[in-house]
Amino acid sequence: MSKKLLTILSAALLLTLLLGACGPQATEAPTQPPAPTAPAATEEPATTEEPIESGFTIGISNPFISSEYRTQMIAELIEVNQEYMAADITTELVIESADTDVAGQIQQLQNLMAQDVDAILVNPGDVSGLNATLQEALDQGIIVISVDQELDVPGVYNVGIDQKAWAMESAEWLAEKLGGEGDIVLIEGFPGHPANVARMEGVSEVLANYPGINVLATDTGRWDEATGQQVMSNFLAAYPNLDGYWTQDGMAIGALQAVMAANPAEWPQGVGEGRCQFLNLWEEALTMNPDFDSIAVANHPGVSPTGLRIAVNMLQGKEVDESTLGGANGLSFVLPLAAVITSENLDEGLAMCEGQPDAYLLDNIMTEEEVQQFFVQ
Amino acid sequence: MKNRITWDFLMTRYPVFFPLVLLVLSVAINLYLQPNMFQLSTLNSNMRVFLPLILLTVGQAIVLIAGGIDISVGGIVSVVNTILATRVGLEGSSELMWQYVLISLLVGALAGAINGFFIAYLRLQPIITTYATSFLYAGFALFILPNPGGGIPSAIASVYRTSTPLSLPLAFYVIAILLLVWAYVSSTRYGKYLFAVGGKAEAAYETAVPVTLVQFSAYVISGFMAALAGIAITMLSGSGNADIGNPMTLNSITAVVIGGNAFSGGIGGVAGPILGAITLSVIQNIISFSHINTWWETLVKATIIVAALAAPGVINLFRRRRA
């Protein structure tokens, strides 16, 4: 028995060492620019005691991976943090990013708190399920910023675009393009997802001003390219005389592919999205139908690295100019849209995609100087 | 010689042995990476997140012992969560909360009874039936609460979040109660029936075990436990989301299997799966604290889980070779 015990213990020890060794090494792994000299964040807590100007640790909590948006977001966060690390202002980011549920994200946040981070950037997977946990973080003196998704927790700042305005931009374009008349269909994202709800509200508001536009049907493409394509194919079959369609995000690529595949005599007018793959597809569509037109409004992941800059400035003790803030609880940094591409500036959009992968979302990260507009000078 | 006998003896007579080894191992690694793990506040914040899955896992374990499987548990969690979040509300009284806690438990048992009726009385395949009803329940939750929101009073939520009687997390007491109840139940005739039905239903039938009723009851218990999990996760998050339970289903099954219960039924208990559920959650912590590169996280976690699942089989394989 004692021999067995010894085996188990030594196995435990071995695994422990292995995992321990794994940590710092793994951060140097692929794709991302490495940070060879930075010590692991866990090794220098206790810096929160006295007011300091540097050595801040920022934690990231992201509950959804395997989307281009999130991948670009994480990569950009790491990149922007390198800047601050080089200036010794921050240490290595503590990133909690995995597909998880509400309980899992609560655990992510708790683990960040347990690692004594000074600020948390959270992309919340639930509109209110994290509230109590975020309050605990605030109570510990941690600066909490919600990126991409607005939260209504006193003390939590939000950084993002106005999702409603984002959707209104392209809905307005579609309504004008159709001259305020015609039959259209809507393909929405996840029903019930806050961003989708805000967007569809925006679309309804715009369409309310155009009584001549008739919404024949609404279906969900679940923010998925393939589903969007399938839904659009069904719509094209059901409504051969469709005048237009409104959709959002990756589903726009699927929808346009469906139109190109069906190639009806009269192409419906459709909205697109600010992704290089779509702009390339747009160029291709023009070769099939020179009259084709679209609009691509970027929902850019750059809001998160901009949020990181805001967090760093707040950590350095700069005072937020609350008069520049907006949103539901007046604690939102509402960022301008990164790019609106129409047929007039399609070339510019394509130029932005030069050298970028297909999945790249047109983006804009505010510079350190640009971020100063939110702070009292 | 003696060692070999001890190992086999432990593995067969005490299915809890291996999950316990896994838990001790993973807790040791977690403790090494996070030295303040056993601080009361840290321990409590961990355990309050683990508890909903633990509760769900116990129900799943009983269904597996009885030779079935319940894929609808996550849907039941969501239904309970949306009922509480919409009916009690952020401004609700504690009387209202208790009232709907009781209703939730009934709803959970009822949902389980629907599963049980199809499987035990209509003799439908458990996996297909509960897969289908999982959509039924998830759809019902979405019907109750189309957009995330609502909630329960934060004062009630904080009872769950911050209670530490005698300096121990609330979850420890819940686990103790679960173990005591199970110790009693498994010693009763009903407990023996559960194992008999899961092990060999025909033989059980021939020895006058009420097979149909026992199968039916297992799903009712599972639905009831899912309702408890739904109450716990609602108190954890304080809010409603029709999708909240969905990702928990597979975790509950994984936890049961890590806990040493056989998929084929008739073997195992409840203690092992509880340890399995904790291990599964601790593994996520280990991944967090080891600062593995973000892009590798999912792969590493899955690898550890697969290794944990495969370990007893691999050990047995080597033992057979040597014998």
Side-chain angles (χ1 to χ4, degrees):
Chain A
M1 188 61 209
S2 65
K3 203 173 163 190
K4 194 102 281 165
L5 201 73
L6 206 72
T7 321
I8 291 165
L9 275 176
S10 49
L13 196 73
L14 200 73
L15 248 163
T16 314
L17 289 173
L18 225 130
L19 268 162
C22 223
Q25 255 170 31
T27 49
E28 301 184 5
T31 54
Q32 286 321 304
T37 50
T42 37
E43 275 148 35
E44 47 177 319
T47 40
T48 43
E49 299 297 321
E50 54 215 67
I52 37 155
E53 300 278 308
S54 62
F56 300 114
T57 306
I58 297 175
I60 313 291
S61 165
N62 172 41
F64 179 60
I65 53 171
S66 61
S67 95
E68 304 83 355
Y69 182 96
R70 303 296 172 117
T71 309
Q72 202 169 321
M73 167 184 117
I74 298 284
E76 287 173 351
L77 281 167
I78 295 171
E79 198 181 307
V80 167
N81 189 55
Q82 297 288 330
E83 244 177 68
Y84 293 114
M85 274 169 70
D88 275 335
I89 298 171
T90 64
T91 58
E92 189 83 50
L93 291 177
V94 184
I95 301 175
E96 295 269 347
S97 177
D99 270 325
T100 189
D101 52 3
V102 179
Q105 194 168 19
I106 288 174
Q107 187 64 10
Q108 286 188 344
L109 294 167
Q110 290 177 168
N111 285 346
L112 291 176
M113 286 186 251
Q115 290 171 84
D116 287 315
V117 296
D118 301 299
I120 292 176
L121 255 63
V122 54
N123 192 330
D126 191 285
V127 260
S128 47
L130 308 175
N131 288 8
T133 312
L134 292 176
Q135 188 60 50
E136 285 176 1
L138 290 171
D139 292 344
Q140 287 183 22
I142 296 171
I143 290 175
V144 181
I145 292 183
S146 168
V147 289
D148 188 29
Q149 164 70 53
E150 195 172 31
L151 291 182
D152 188 10
V153 182
V156 171
Y157 289 91
N158 302 294
V159 177
I161 60 164
D162 183 338
Q163 297 288 351
K164 193 170 159 184
W166 176 84
M168 288 171 90
E169 183 88 28
S170 56
E172 190 76 47
W173 174 89
L174 179 65
E176 284 297 322
K177 189 79 197 168
L178 295 174
E181 300 234 346
D183 294 335
I184 65 166
V185 289
L186 310 178
I187 306 174
E188 62 175 332
F190 277 115
H193 188 286
N196 184 59
V197 172
R199 291 170 182 183
M200 298 315 284
E201 258 176 35
V203 172
S204 304
E205 258 176 53
V206 169
L207 294 181
N209 298 330
Y210 295 90
I213 289 185
N214 184 17
V215 178
L216 294 175
T218 304
D219 200 354
T220 173
R222 305 184 69 79
W223 276 325
D224 175 61
E225 191 183 312
T227 315
Q229 187 172 1
Q230 193 189 340
V231 170
M232 191 66 211
S233 299
N234 293 344
F235 278 149
L236 287 169
Y239 311 108
N241 299 320
L242 198 62
D243 297 307
Y245 62 91
W246 186 90
T247 185
Q248 32 158 312
D249 282 2
M251 300 180 297
I253 293 167
L256 179 53
Q257 280 166 341
V259 173
M260 289 165 74
N263 197 9
E266 280 289 315
W267 281 31
Q269 287 295 341
V271 306
E273 67 146 342
R275 188 188 307 247
C276 292
Q277 192 184 350
F278 182 82
L279 300 186
N280 295 334
L281 199 64
W282 186 342
E283 245 192 338
E284 199 185 318
L286 280 173
T287 62
M288 286 178 71
N289 179 355
D291 295 331
F292 177 75
D293 198 1
S294 191
I295 183 171
V297 189
N299 172 28
H300 61 297
V303 297
S304 293
T306 303
L308 180 72
R309 291 197 192 280
I310 290 170
V312 169
N313 276 281
M314 287 170 74
L315 284 170
Q316 288 173 320
K318 287 193 193 145
E319 197 188 332
V320 176
D321 180 0
E322 306 242 335
S323 69
T324 59
L325 304 187
N329 64 353
L331 287 179
S332 297
F333 297 82
V334 183
L335 306 184
L337 298 174
V340 179
I341 306 292
T342 61
S343 50
E344 274 148 40
N345 60 353
L346 179 57
D347 294 344
E348 281 171 44
L350 286 166
M352 285 169 84
C353 290
E354 207 64 47
Q356 298 287 2
D358 247 14
Y360 182 78
L361 293 149
L362 300 182
D363 211 349
N364 174 41
I365 304 171
M366 281 195 175
T367 63
E368 182 68 22
E369 290 75 48
E370 285 172 323
V371 164
Q372 299 308 319
Q373 61 176 288
F374 297 117
F375 294 92
V376 176
Q377 297 308 313
Chain B
M1 188 63 198
K2 196 167 175 293
N3 274 339
R4 194 175 300 174
I5 291 165
T6 311
W7 178 257
D8 286 341
F9 181 73
L10 283 171
M11 288 298 284
T12 48
R13 285 298 296 277
Y14 296 99
V16 177
F17 173 68
F18 192 74
L20 190 63
V21 170
L22 277 180
L23 180 68
V24 169
L25 201 68
S26 46
V27 166
I29 298 169
N30 192 354
L31 187 64
Y32 170 78
L33 294 168
Q34 185 195 7
N36 65 355
M37 184 189 177
F38 283 114
Q39 233 173 48
L40 180 59
S41 62
T42 313
L43 192 61
N44 184 55
S45 61
N46 276 320
M47 290 310 297
R48 71 188 181 190
V49 173
F50 301 171
L51 188 56
L53 180 63
I54 291 171
L55 292 164
L56 201 62
T57 301
V58 168
Q60 190 71 261
I62 289 170
V63 174
L64 255 80
I65 289 171
I69 191 164
D70 191 345
I71 299 181
S72 72
V73 286
I76 300 173
V77 167
S78 298
V79 168
V80 166
N81 170 255
T82 52
I83 288 177
L84 290 173
T86 52
R87 299 292 140 184
V88 179
L90 289 165
E91 308 297 328
S93 64
S94 54
E95 290 81 39
L96 198 64
M97 178 73 188
W98 285 117
Q99 195 183 324
Y100 275 97
V101 162
L102 287 178
I103 292 174
S104 296
L105 294 174
L106 288 175
V107 168
L110 178 70
I114 295 172
N115 288 335
F117 175 75
F118 282 122
I119 294 161
Y121 291 96
L122 302 186
R123 305 280 175 96
L124 300 179
Q125 275 286 333
I127 193 159
I128 302 298
T129 307
T130 54
Y131 182 64
T133 55
S134 73
F135 289 105
L136 190 71
Y137 303 146
F140 189 55
L142 199 62
F143 168 74
I144 299 172
L145 183 68
N147 297 332
I152 59 167
S154 59
I156 296 174
S158 73
V159 170
Y160 174 84
R161 293 174 64 90
T162 58
S163 289
T164 50
L166 301 174
S167 297
L168 283 175
L170 183 68
F172 283 7
Y173 295 92
V174 178
I175 293 171
I177 293 169
L178 290 172
L179 291 175
L180 283 173
V181 171
W182 174 249
Y184 171 72
V185 169
S186 55
S187 74
T188 62
R189 183 182 291 179
Y190 173 75
K192 310 264 184 298
Y193 283 173
L194 270 178
F195 284 95
V197 167
K200 210 159 192 156
E202 294 84 5
Y205 182 77
E206 280 161 15
T207 48
V209 173
V211 173
T212 315
L213 189 64
V214 170
Q215 279 178 342
F216 175 79
S217 70
Y219 289 94
V220 175
I221 293 171
S222 174
F224 181 83
M225 294 309 297
L228 279 177
I231 293 163
I233 202 160
T234 309
M235 293 176 93
L236 174 70
S237 75
S239 78
N241 183 338
D243 198 37
I244 201 164
N246 190 29
M248 297 171 74
T249 305
L250 265 183
N251 280 341
S252 76
I253 298 169
T254 313
V256 173
V257 177
I258 289 182
N261 288 20
F263 237 94
S264 45
I267 294 174
V270 153
I274 290 176
L275 299 179
I278 300 175
T279 305
L280 206 56
S281 309
V282 169
I283 288 173
Q284 180 59 52
N285 278 3
I286 292 172
I287 302 290
S288 292
F289 289 109
S290 57
H291 296 278
I292 289 172
N293 183 291
T294 317
W295 320 108
W296 289 73
E297 214 175 82
T298 309
L299 179 67
V300 172
K301 183 184 173 191
T303 308
I304 296 176
I305 293 171
V306 170
L309 287 170
V314 172
I315 291 169
N316 283 338
L317 186 71
F318 276 106
R319 298 195 57 77
R320 277 204 302 276
R321 285 253 173 90
R322 266 195 293 170

